[in-house]
Each structure stands twice: as C-alpha cells, then as structure tokens.
C-alpha cells in the first residue's frame, strides 16, 4: 500500500503563537485549509501538519488530549538536504522559542537534532548522508 499525502494532526493551545512560530522557521500555511481553529502547515510536497486548537482537536477524539510538554506520543522526523540545513532549521526554531529535548546525534551516516515547539511537540530534522550504512 502506498499513500499520496500525509497529514499529521497536532493539538495546539494558541493559534497566533503557533502560526508565528512556524512562519519564523520559514514555513507557510495553506489558507484554503486554515482558520482560527485549525491551520494547514505545509511541510513539503504532499506533507502537512494540521495545527488544531485543543477544543477543535477534541471533536476528533474520545480520549483526553495529552500535554506534549509532559508526555511524548510522537516524534515528527523531517528530512533535510544537508547537516547545515538541519542546523539552520533547528537554530531558527530555538530562536523562535523552541526548546531542545536532546543533544544533536551524529551517527556518521546520519545527523539529527531535535526541538520542541511551543506546545511541546517534538520535531527531529535529520540528514542521512549514506542510508546504506543504516543497520536494522
């Protein structure tokens, strides 16, 4: 099975704060799928994150919404074209108010860093120099 698009839905507390944060990183939003309750963050061709304020997010689930600042359920990993792009994106995130949940990881064939957005969601930009060196 193959899919043509991916949407990750993330709960957020403050739409204006979240939009400003991701715009500071250089991302854009699709206005066709954005309003004051949800915003479609464009991550790449056919890659999107729906940022949904808690009250709206709650309409899609029948369980409590986790506080991503206290618990972790998902790590969103994004490919980058170079180590420099990993560093630049993470540094922009930190300058815009993100926190660092862990140190950079350099495995030789792969380099990654991580940042937690204002709601605690963890993003991991990474560059894989030589995928053939990855061991299962």
């Amino acid at each position: 099975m193959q899919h043509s698009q991916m949407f990750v839905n993330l709960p957020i507390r403050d739409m204006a704060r979240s939009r400003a944060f991701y715009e500071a990183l250089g991302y854009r939003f699709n206005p066709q799928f954005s309003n004051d309750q949800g915003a479609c963050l464009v991550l790449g061709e056919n890659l999107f994150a729906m940022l949904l304020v808690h009250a709206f997010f709650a309409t899609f689930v029948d369980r409590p919404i986790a506080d991503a600042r206290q618990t972790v359920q998902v790590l969103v990993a994004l490919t980058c074209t170079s180590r420099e792009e990993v560093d630049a994106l993470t540094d922009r995130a930190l300058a815009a108010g993100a926190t660092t949940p862990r140190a950079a990881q350099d495995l030789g064939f792969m380099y990654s860093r991580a940042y937690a957005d204002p709601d605690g969601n963890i993003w991991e930009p990474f560059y894989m120099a030589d995928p053939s060196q990855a061991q299962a």
Side-chain angles (χ1 to χ4, degrees), residues 10-32:
L10 299 173
I12 61 166
R13 297 185 189 298
D14 183 318
M15 181 61 72
R17 179 187 68 185
S18 291
R19 285 185 70 114
F21 174 79
Y22 287 104
E23 287 169 348
L25 274 59
Y27 292 110
R28 67 179 183 83
F29 289 89
N30 181 334
Q32 184 178 2

Side-chain angles (χ1 to χ4, degrees), residues 7 21 32 37 41-44:
F7 288 82
F21 174 79
Q32 184 178 2
Q37 297 298 301
L41 176 63
V42 179
L43 298 167

Side-chain angles (χ1 to χ4, degrees), residues 7-124:
F7 288 82
V8 173
N9 295 277
L10 299 173
I12 61 166
R13 297 185 189 298
D14 183 318
M15 181 61 72
R17 179 187 68 185
S18 291
R19 285 185 70 114
F21 174 79
Y22 287 104
E23 287 169 348
L25 274 59
Y27 292 110
R28 67 179 183 83
F29 289 89
N30 181 334
Q32 184 178 2
F33 300 106
S34 299
N35 59 34
D36 61 342
Q37 297 298 301
C40 181
L41 176 63
V42 179
L43 298 167
E45 186 175 346
N46 299 319
L47 304 172
F48 309 93
M50 291 300 299
L51 307 180
L52 308 174
V53 294
H54 277 230
F56 186 54
F57 189 96
T59 66
F60 295 97
V61 297
D62 62 356
R63 294 187 234 165
I65 298 171
D67 182 347
R69 296 171 298 184
Q70 302 296 318
T71 63
V72 177
Q73 182 169 338
V74 65
L75 302 172
V76 181
L78 298 171
T79 58
C80 292
T81 59
S82 67
R83 291 173 62 105
E84 293 78 19
E85 185 179 21
V86 169
D87 287 338
L89 175 56
T90 305
D91 291 346
R92 283 194 309 273
L94 295 172
T99 58
T100 305
R102 67 166 173 80
Q105 292 182 333
D106 189 345
L107 304 176
F109 67 93
M110 185 176 78
Y111 174 74
S112 68
R113 288 180 65 189
Y115 61 87
D117 70 15
D119 288 286
N121 300 302
I122 299 175
W123 297 79
E124 293 186 319

Side-chain angles (χ1 to χ4, degrees), residues 107-110 126-136:
L107 304 176
F109 67 93
M110 185 176 78
F126 73 95
Y127 169 65
M128 189 164 304
D130 187 358
S132 69
Q133 296 299 309
Q135 296 181 10

